Amino acid sequence: MTRIPRRRPRALILVAAAGLLLAACSATDTTAGTGRDSAAVPDPGTGHLHGLGIDPADGTVYAAGHHGVFRLKDGSATRVAGRYQDTMGFTVTGPSTFLASGHPAPADPDARSPHLGLIRSTDAGRTWQTLSAEGEADFHSLVQAGDVLYGFDSQSGRVWASTDAGRRWDKRARIAALDLASHAGSAARVWAATGTGLERSTDGGRTFRPVPSAPGLVAVEEPEPGSLVALTPDGRVLAARGDGPWTRLGRLPEGGKATVLTAVTTQRLLAADSTDAVYESADRGRTWMLRHRPATGSEHH
């Protein structure tokens, strides 16, 4: 495990990294500082959100987006440690322990690569360490299923699997996934929401088959073995056992397109939409409470 170092790379590397980042997601600073002159540039807010979670250490809700990791409290979002890294594939795996992926800011003088690979924080996002795949992987989904960690890498278009906490990976099926789900009680089974449907693997992500009964889904969770909860693009919250049938539980408030779903427990859910609004449900998605809405939100694509 290597702490992300603070050293100035060659100018050529920085220019190349900046170009690649601007062509991909809106990028942010991962390793230290804000990566921007706050006196000259207005704070951009969270940016498009990619992950939500609750720290079991203190119950704080966290949101990860293009402009850092944020603590959500009393309707406001506070950037953790002033870090602006483009945080992707965010998941909470234990008390104050987060996994993520993404990109550093183009202006970050310490950036070594446009892709951070897998990074981990053990102090609730204040500092991060590189675990693996720096310069190679950009995980848009990360799922801890017992001893197996699954990631969907947007660069290779493959599901990756690790059995040593993300230090080494086995590259498995190629699939167009928006989100992955698995459960510790059935870790060989992996679900992939594709936007137009749902696919299932029973061999640890090596092969996938479509689930015929599933509608188009943008996010899926498996809070209990074989029990699924999912989001459609228009914000409907659906549930099913295995192959279905699918039952509508509720719907996100009107706003933007549904983008993120996290099942904290079978009853407690977090969700976000394309306006970067964050919602919470205590009744498995039947009703929703607004946790955060950007002061000047605009829909992202």
Side-chain angles (χ1 to χ4, degrees):
M1 180 167 58
T2 304
R3 182 173 295 276
I4 299 175
R6 290 190 52 79
R7 64 180 181 86
R8 188 179 299 275
R10 292 176 298 175
L12 181 60
I13 297 176
L14 283 175
V15 171
L20 287 172
L21 284 171
L22 289 172
C25 298
S26 58
T28 50
D29 182 9
T30 303
T31 55
T34 62
R36 59 177 59 235
D37 182 352
S38 59
V41 181
D43 191 294
T46 63
H48 184 53
L49 295 176
H50 285 274
L52 299 167
I54 293 181
D55 186 352
D58 58 9
T60 299
V61 178
Y62 285 86
H66 280 325
H67 301 306
V69 175
F70 296 80
R71 289 187 295 267
L72 303 187
K73 185 177 181 180
D74 299 330
S76 65
T78 302
R79 182 177 289 103
V80 177
R83 299 180 185 278
Y84 281 77
Q85 78 271 12
D86 183 355
T87 310
M88 311 283 287
F90 175 83
T91 187
V92 177
T93 59
S96 301
T97 303
F98 306 160
L99 293 176
S101 191
H103 317 280
D108 177 10
D110 303 310
R112 303 188 305 183
S113 167
H115 304 301
L116 295 174
L118 181 69
I119 58 176
R120 181 177 68 179
S121 175
T122 56
D123 55 9
R126 287 184 285 275
T127 62
W128 294 87
Q129 296 171 318
T130 299
L131 290 182
S132 61
E134 183 181 16
E136 181 181 7
D138 175 17
F139 296 110
H140 282 199
S141 180
L142 290 166
V143 178
Q144 187 76 55
D147 294 332
V148 183
L149 175 66
Y150 292 107
F152 174 72
D153 171 40
S154 67
Q155 297 304 294
S156 63
R158 290 183 178 275
V159 173
W160 292 23
S162 174
T163 56
D164 61 357
R167 292 173 177 83
R168 293 173 297 180
W169 295 91
D170 180 29
K171 299 176 185 179
R172 298 183 178 176
R174 190 182 301 275
I175 186 172
L178 297 178
D179 193 27
L180 300 178
S182 188
H183 190 279
S186 53
R189 183 170 55 208
V190 185
W191 307 89
T194 64
T196 57
L198 180 70
E199 300 208 14
R200 179 180 61 186
S201 172
T202 57
D203 56 7
R206 293 174 178 86
T207 61
F208 282 85
R209 292 180 179 274
V211 177
S213 66
L217 301 175
V218 295
V220 62
E221 288 280 88
E222 188 179 12
E224 294 182 341
S227 178
L228 302 178
V229 60
L231 273 179
T232 63
D234 61 0
R236 287 173 292 143
V237 185
L238 307 179
R241 292 287 305 180
D243 290 342
W246 293 83
T247 302
R248 176 171 167 170
L249 299 176
R251 190 169 193 160
L252 295 185
E254 293 293 334
K257 298 175 183 177
T259 55
V260 181
L261 178 67
T262 296
V264 182
T265 66
T266 56
Q267 294 295 314
R268 189 177 186 185
L269 307 179
L270 298 171
D273 65 22
S274 58
T275 70
D276 307 326
V278 178
Y279 302 96
E280 181 173 350
S281 174
D283 56 9
R284 208 183 176 207
R286 292 175 175 83
T287 60
W288 293 87
M289 173 185 70
L290 180 68
R291 290 298 305 256
H292 171 70
R293 185 185 299 281
T296 55
S298 61
E299 187 164 336
H300 299 269
H301 299 281

PDB file of all heavy atoms in Angstrom, residues 152-174:
ATOM      1  N   PHE A 152     -16.250  -2.107 -11.805  1.00  0.00           N
ATOM      2  CA  PHE A 152     -16.440  -1.984 -13.247  1.00  0.00           C
ATOM      3  C   PHE A 152     -15.507  -0.892 -13.738  1.00  0.00           C
ATOM      4  O   PHE A 152     -15.636   0.279 -13.354  1.00  0.00           O
ATOM      5  CB  PHE A 152     -17.875  -1.648 -13.631  1.00  0.00           C
ATOM      6  CG  PHE A 152     -18.017  -1.389 -15.106  1.00  0.00           C
ATOM      7  CD1 PHE A 152     -17.942  -2.439 -16.007  1.00  0.00           C
ATOM      8  CD2 PHE A 152     -18.159  -0.093 -15.599  1.00  0.00           C
ATOM      9  CE1 PHE A 152     -18.021  -2.209 -17.382  1.00  0.00           C
ATOM     10  CE2 PHE A 152     -18.244   0.147 -16.965  1.00  0.00           C
ATOM     11  CZ  PHE A 152     -18.175  -0.918 -17.852  1.00  0.00           C
ATOM     12  N   ASP A 153     -14.561  -1.277 -14.590  1.00  0.00           N
ATOM     13  CA  ASP A 153     -13.572  -0.354 -15.111  1.00  0.00           C
ATOM     14  C   ASP A 153     -14.049   0.217 -16.442  1.00  0.00           C
ATOM     15  O   ASP A 153     -14.202  -0.520 -17.429  1.00  0.00           O
ATOM     16  CB  ASP A 153     -12.229  -1.061 -15.290  1.00  0.00           C
ATOM     17  CG  ASP A 153     -11.219  -0.204 -16.045  1.00  0.00           C
ATOM     18  OD1 ASP A 153     -11.183   1.012 -15.768  1.00  0.00           O
ATOM     19  OD2 ASP A 153     -10.502  -0.746 -16.900  1.00  0.00           O
ATOM     20  N   SER A 154     -14.244   1.528 -16.489  1.00  0.00           N
ATOM     21  CA  SER A 154     -14.747   2.160 -17.705  1.00  0.00           C
ATOM     22  C   SER A 154     -13.718   2.166 -18.827  1.00  0.00           C
ATOM     23  O   SER A 154     -14.078   2.311 -19.998  1.00  0.00           O
ATOM     24  CB  SER A 154     -15.172   3.599 -17.405  1.00  0.00           C
ATOM     25  OG  SER A 154     -14.043   4.405 -17.076  1.00  0.00           O
ATOM     26  N   GLN A 155     -12.435   2.017 -18.498  1.00  0.00           N
ATOM     27  CA  GLN A 155     -11.399   2.049 -19.523  1.00  0.00           C
ATOM     28  C   GLN A 155     -11.366   0.752 -20.339  1.00  0.00           C
ATOM     29  O   GLN A 155     -11.239   0.773 -21.556  1.00  0.00           O
ATOM     30  CB  GLN A 155     -10.034   2.295 -18.877  1.00  0.00           C
ATOM     31  CG  GLN A 155      -9.937   3.633 -18.172  1.00  0.00           C
ATOM     32  CD  GLN A 155     -10.255   4.792 -19.098  1.00  0.00           C
ATOM     33  OE1 GLN A 155      -9.520   5.063 -20.043  1.00  0.00           O
ATOM     34  NE2 GLN A 155     -11.351   5.478 -18.828  1.00  0.00           N
ATOM     35  N   SER A 156     -11.475  -0.375 -19.664  1.00  0.00           N
ATOM     36  CA  SER A 156     -11.457  -1.668 -20.353  1.00  0.00           C
ATOM     37  C   SER A 156     -12.853  -2.183 -20.659  1.00  0.00           C
ATOM     38  O   SER A 156     -13.014  -3.095 -21.470  1.00  0.00           O
ATOM     39  CB  SER A 156     -10.713  -2.706 -19.510  1.00  0.00           C
ATOM     40  OG  SER A 156     -11.390  -2.926 -18.276  1.00  0.00           O
ATOM     41  N   GLY A 157     -13.877  -1.599 -20.001  1.00  0.00           N
ATOM     42  CA  GLY A 157     -15.237  -2.092 -20.179  1.00  0.00           C
ATOM     43  C   GLY A 157     -15.444  -3.462 -19.567  1.00  0.00           C
ATOM     44  O   GLY A 157     -16.329  -4.208 -19.987  1.00  0.00           O
ATOM     45  N   ARG A 158     -14.647  -3.784 -18.548  1.00  0.00           N
ATOM     46  CA  ARG A 158     -14.702  -5.108 -17.937  1.00  0.00           C
ATOM     47  C   ARG A 158     -15.019  -5.030 -16.439  1.00  0.00           C
ATOM     48  O   ARG A 158     -14.747  -4.023 -15.778  1.00  0.00           O
ATOM     49  CB  ARG A 158     -13.364  -5.842 -18.101  1.00  0.00           C
ATOM     50  CG  ARG A 158     -13.047  -6.263 -19.524  1.00  0.00           C
ATOM     51  CD  ARG A 158     -11.748  -7.052 -19.576  1.00  0.00           C
ATOM     52  NE  ARG A 158     -11.427  -7.511 -20.923  1.00  0.00           N
ATOM     53  CZ  ARG A 158     -11.885  -8.625 -21.471  1.00  0.00           C
ATOM     54  NH1 ARG A 158     -12.684  -9.415 -20.764  1.00  0.00           N
ATOM     55  NH2 ARG A 158     -11.552  -8.963 -22.700  1.00  0.00           N
ATOM     56  N   VAL A 159     -15.578  -6.140 -15.952  1.00  0.00           N
ATOM     57  CA  VAL A 159     -15.712  -6.342 -14.519  1.00  0.00           C
ATOM     58  C   VAL A 159     -14.383  -6.882 -13.999  1.00  0.00           C
ATOM     59  O   VAL A 159     -13.851  -7.854 -14.547  1.00  0.00           O
ATOM     60  CB  VAL A 159     -16.851  -7.331 -14.204  1.00  0.00           C
ATOM     61  CG1 VAL A 159     -16.879  -7.662 -12.713  1.00  0.00           C
ATOM     62  CG2 VAL A 159     -18.196  -6.758 -14.657  1.00  0.00           C
ATOM     63  N   TRP A 160     -13.842  -6.229 -12.974  1.00  0.00           N
ATOM     64  CA  TRP A 160     -12.637  -6.702 -12.314  1.00  0.00           C
ATOM     65  C   TRP A 160     -13.020  -7.280 -10.951  1.00  0.00           C
ATOM     66  O   TRP A 160     -13.978  -6.833 -10.323  1.00  0.00           O
ATOM     67  CB  TRP A 160     -11.647  -5.561 -12.103  1.00  0.00           C
ATOM     68  CG  TRP A 160     -11.024  -4.996 -13.334  1.00  0.00           C
ATOM     69  CD1 TRP A 160     -11.509  -5.043 -14.617  1.00  0.00           C
ATOM     70  CD2 TRP A 160      -9.799  -4.249 -13.397  1.00  0.00           C
ATOM     71  NE1 TRP A 160     -10.660  -4.380 -15.474  1.00  0.00           N
ATOM     72  CE2 TRP A 160      -9.606  -3.884 -14.757  1.00  0.00           C
ATOM     73  CE3 TRP A 160      -8.857  -3.862 -12.451  1.00  0.00           C
ATOM     74  CZ2 TRP A 160      -8.505  -3.141 -15.168  1.00  0.00           C
ATOM     75  CZ3 TRP A 160      -7.755  -3.116 -12.868  1.00  0.00           C
ATOM     76  CH2 TRP A 160      -7.570  -2.770 -14.204  1.00  0.00           C
ATOM     77  N   ALA A 161     -12.252  -8.272 -10.498  1.00  0.00           N
ATOM     78  CA  ALA A 161     -12.513  -8.886  -9.198  1.00  0.00           C
ATOM     79  C   ALA A 161     -11.209  -9.030  -8.429  1.00  0.00           C
ATOM     80  O   ALA A 161     -10.169  -9.373  -8.996  1.00  0.00           O
ATOM     81  CB  ALA A 161     -13.180 -10.249  -9.359  1.00  0.00           C
ATOM     82  N   SER A 162     -11.282  -8.781  -7.123  1.00  0.00           N
ATOM     83  CA  SER A 162     -10.111  -8.888  -6.257  1.00  0.00           C
ATOM     84  C   SER A 162     -10.491  -9.646  -4.988  1.00  0.00           C
ATOM     85  O   SER A 162     -11.569  -9.433  -4.425  1.00  0.00           O
ATOM     86  CB  SER A 162      -9.590  -7.504  -5.880  1.00  0.00           C
ATOM     87  OG  SER A 162      -8.543  -7.589  -4.922  1.00  0.00           O
ATOM     88  N   THR A 163      -9.599 -10.522  -4.544  1.00  0.00           N
ATOM     89  CA  THR A 163      -9.818 -11.253  -3.297  1.00  0.00           C
ATOM     90  C   THR A 163      -8.808 -10.853  -2.229  1.00  0.00           C
ATOM     91  O   THR A 163      -8.724 -11.500  -1.189  1.00  0.00           O
ATOM     92  CB  THR A 163      -9.748 -12.775  -3.529  1.00  0.00           C
ATOM     93  OG1 THR A 163      -8.487 -13.108  -4.127  1.00  0.00           O
ATOM     94  CG2 THR A 163     -10.888 -13.241  -4.427  1.00  0.00           C
ATOM     95  N   ASP A 164      -8.027  -9.793  -2.486  1.00  0.00           N
ATOM     96  CA  ASP A 164      -7.067  -9.323  -1.476  1.00  0.00           C
ATOM     97  C   ASP A 164      -7.234  -7.825  -1.241  1.00  0.00           C
ATOM     98  O   ASP A 164      -6.266  -7.071  -1.172  1.00  0.00           O
ATOM     99  CB  ASP A 164      -5.628  -9.656  -1.875  1.00  0.00           C
ATOM    100  CG  ASP A 164      -5.197  -8.996  -3.181  1.00  0.00           C
ATOM    101  OD1 ASP A 164      -6.044  -8.310  -3.817  1.00  0.00           O
ATOM    102  OD2 ASP A 164      -4.027  -9.150  -3.555  1.00  0.00           O
ATOM    103  N   ALA A 165      -8.498  -7.410  -1.128  1.00  0.00           N
ATOM    104  CA  ALA A 165      -8.848  -6.030  -0.767  1.00  0.00           C
ATOM    105  C   ALA A 165      -8.419  -5.016  -1.819  1.00  0.00           C
ATOM    106  O   ALA A 165      -8.167  -3.850  -1.507  1.00  0.00           O
ATOM    107  CB  ALA A 165      -8.255  -5.663   0.592  1.00  0.00           C
ATOM    108  N   GLY A 166      -8.332  -5.431  -3.071  1.00  0.00           N
ATOM    109  CA  GLY A 166      -8.090  -4.504  -4.150  1.00  0.00           C
ATOM    110  C   GLY A 166      -6.643  -4.279  -4.517  1.00  0.00           C
ATOM    111  O   GLY A 166      -6.339  -3.366  -5.290  1.00  0.00           O
ATOM    112  N   ARG A 167      -5.741  -5.102  -4.022  1.00  0.00           N
ATOM    113  CA  ARG A 167      -4.324  -4.939  -4.380  1.00  0.00           C
ATOM    114  C   ARG A 167      -3.996  -5.614  -5.713  1.00  0.00           C
ATOM    115  O   ARG A 167      -3.195  -5.109  -6.489  1.00  0.00           O
ATOM    116  CB  ARG A 167      -3.444  -5.486  -3.261  1.00  0.00           C
ATOM    117  CG  ARG A 167      -3.520  -4.637  -1.983  1.00  0.00           C
ATOM    118  CD  ARG A 167      -2.771  -5.285  -0.830  1.00  0.00           C
ATOM    119  NE  ARG A 167      -2.798  -4.430   0.341  1.00  0.00           N
ATOM    120  CZ  ARG A 167      -3.811  -4.381   1.206  1.00  0.00           C
ATOM    121  NH1 ARG A 167      -4.878  -5.146   1.000  1.00  0.00           N
ATOM    122  NH2 ARG A 167      -3.770  -3.585   2.247  1.00  0.00           N
ATOM    123  N   ARG A 168      -4.618  -6.761  -5.961  1.00  0.00           N
ATOM    124  CA  ARG A 168      -4.443  -7.467  -7.233  1.00  0.00           C
ATOM    125  C   ARG A 168      -5.817  -7.791  -7.807  1.00  0.00           C
ATOM    126  O   ARG A 168      -6.761  -8.025  -7.053  1.00  0.00           O
ATOM    127  CB  ARG A 168      -3.629  -8.750  -7.025  1.00  0.00           C
ATOM    128  CG  ARG A 168      -2.180  -8.509  -6.625  1.00  0.00           C
ATOM    129  CD  ARG A 168      -1.489  -9.806  -6.261  1.00  0.00           C
ATOM    130  NE  ARG A 168      -2.119 -10.429  -5.091  1.00  0.00           N
ATOM    131  CZ  ARG A 168      -1.723 -11.583  -4.549  1.00  0.00           C
ATOM    132  NH1 ARG A 168      -0.718 -12.238  -5.091  1.00  0.00           N
ATOM    133  NH2 ARG A 168      -2.346 -12.058  -3.493  1.00  0.00           N
ATOM    134  N   TRP A 169      -5.894  -7.821  -9.139  1.00  0.00           N
ATOM    135  CA  TRP A 169      -7.185  -7.961  -9.796  1.00  0.00           C
ATOM    136  C   TRP A 169      -7.164  -9.061 -10.846  1.00  0.00           C
ATOM    137  O   TRP A 169      -6.144  -9.303 -11.486  1.00  0.00           O
ATOM    138  CB  TRP A 169      -7.570  -6.650 -10.492  1.00  0.00           C
ATOM    139  CG  TRP A 169      -7.803  -5.501  -9.579  1.00  0.00           C
ATOM    140  CD1 TRP A 169      -6.874  -4.581  -9.161  1.00  0.00           C
ATOM    141  CD2 TRP A 169      -9.049  -5.115  -8.978  1.00  0.00           C
ATOM    142  NE1 TRP A 169      -7.465  -3.658  -8.336  1.00  0.00           N
ATOM    143  CE2 TRP A 169      -8.797  -3.956  -8.210  1.00  0.00           C
ATOM    144  CE3 TRP A 169     -10.345  -5.639  -9.028  1.00  0.00           C
ATOM    145  CZ2 TRP A 169      -9.806  -3.313  -7.494  1.00  0.00           C
ATOM    146  CZ3 TRP A 169     -11.347  -5.004  -8.315  1.00  0.00           C
ATOM    147  CH2 TRP A 169     -11.066  -3.846  -7.554  1.00  0.00           C
ATOM    148  N   ASP A 170      -8.337  -9.662 -11.041  1.00  0.00           N
ATOM    149  CA  ASP A 170      -8.586 -10.578 -12.148  1.00  0.00           C
ATOM    150  C   ASP A 170      -9.603  -9.899 -13.049  1.00  0.00           C
ATOM    151  O   ASP A 170     -10.698  -9.532 -12.605  1.00  0.00           O
ATOM    152  CB  ASP A 170      -9.133 -11.911 -11.621  1.00  0.00           C
ATOM    153  CG  ASP A 170      -9.404 -12.897 -12.735  1.00  0.00           C
ATOM    154  OD1 ASP A 170      -8.726 -12.820 -13.769  1.00  0.00           O
ATOM    155  OD2 ASP A 170     -10.305 -13.746 -12.572  1.00  0.00           O
ATOM    156  N   LYS A 171      -9.253  -9.705 -14.306  1.00  0.00           N
ATOM    157  CA  LYS A 171     -10.137  -9.032 -15.246  1.00  0.00           C
ATOM    158  C   LYS A 171     -11.078 -10.055 -15.868  1.00  0.00           C
ATOM    159  O   LYS A 171     -10.631 -11.030 -16.469  1.00  0.00           O
ATOM    160  CB  LYS A 171      -9.312  -8.317 -16.315  1.00  0.00           C
ATOM    161  CG  LYS A 171      -8.397  -7.256 -15.738  1.00  0.00           C
ATOM    162  CD  LYS A 171      -7.515  -6.632 -16.798  1.00  0.00           C
ATOM    163  CE  LYS A 171      -6.523  -5.662 -16.182  1.00  0.00           C
ATOM    164  NZ  LYS A 171      -5.631  -5.059 -17.192  1.00  0.00           N
ATOM    165  N   ARG A 172     -12.370  -9.800 -15.736  1.00  0.00           N
ATOM    166  CA  ARG A 172     -13.373 -10.781 -16.140  1.00  0.00           C
ATOM    167  C   ARG A 172     -14.229 -10.272 -17.293  1.00  0.00           C
ATOM    168  O   ARG A 172     -13.719  -9.744 -18.255  1.00  0.00           O
ATOM    169  CB  ARG A 172     -14.164 -11.202 -14.902  1.00  0.00           C
ATOM    170  CG  ARG A 172     -13.232 -11.875 -13.877  1.00  0.00           C
ATOM    171  CD  ARG A 172     -13.899 -12.401 -12.648  1.00  0.00           C
ATOM    172  NE  ARG A 172     -12.899 -13.055 -11.770  1.00  0.00           N
ATOM    173  CZ  ARG A 172     -13.151 -13.556 -10.572  1.00  0.00           C
ATOM    174  NH1 ARG A 172     -14.378 -13.482 -10.058  1.00  0.00           N
ATOM    175  NH2 ARG A 172     -12.186 -14.123  -9.867  1.00  0.00           N
ATOM    176  N   ALA A 173     -15.530 -10.433 -17.236  1.00  0.00           N
ATOM    177  CA  ALA A 173     -16.384 -10.209 -18.406  1.00  0.00           C
ATOM    178  C   ALA A 173     -16.372  -8.766 -18.877  1.00  0.00           C
ATOM    179  O   ALA A 173     -16.262  -7.829 -18.086  1.00  0.00           O
ATOM    180  CB  ALA A 173     -17.812 -10.633 -18.090  1.00  0.00           C
ATOM    181  N   ARG A 174     -16.529  -8.610 -20.180  1.00  0.00           N
ATOM    182  CA  ARG A 174     -16.734  -7.292 -20.784  1.00  0.00           C
ATOM    183  C   ARG A 174     -18.244  -7.052 -20.850  1.00  0.00           C
ATOM    184  O   ARG A 174     -18.995  -7.879 -21.364  1.00  0.00           O
ATOM    185  CB  ARG A 174     -16.131  -7.252 -22.186  1.00  0.00           C
ATOM    186  CG  ARG A 174     -16.094  -5.849 -22.788  1.00  0.00           C
ATOM    187  CD  ARG A 174     -15.522  -5.890 -24.198  1.00  0.00           C
ATOM    188  NE  ARG A 174     -14.176  -6.430 -24.219  1.00  0.00           N
ATOM    189  CZ  ARG A 174     -13.083  -5.716 -24.006  1.00  0.00           C
ATOM    190  NH1 ARG A 174     -13.179  -4.425 -23.713  1.00  0.00           N
ATOM    191  NH2 ARG A 174     -11.891  -6.282 -24.075  1.00  0.00           N
TER     192      ARG A 174
END
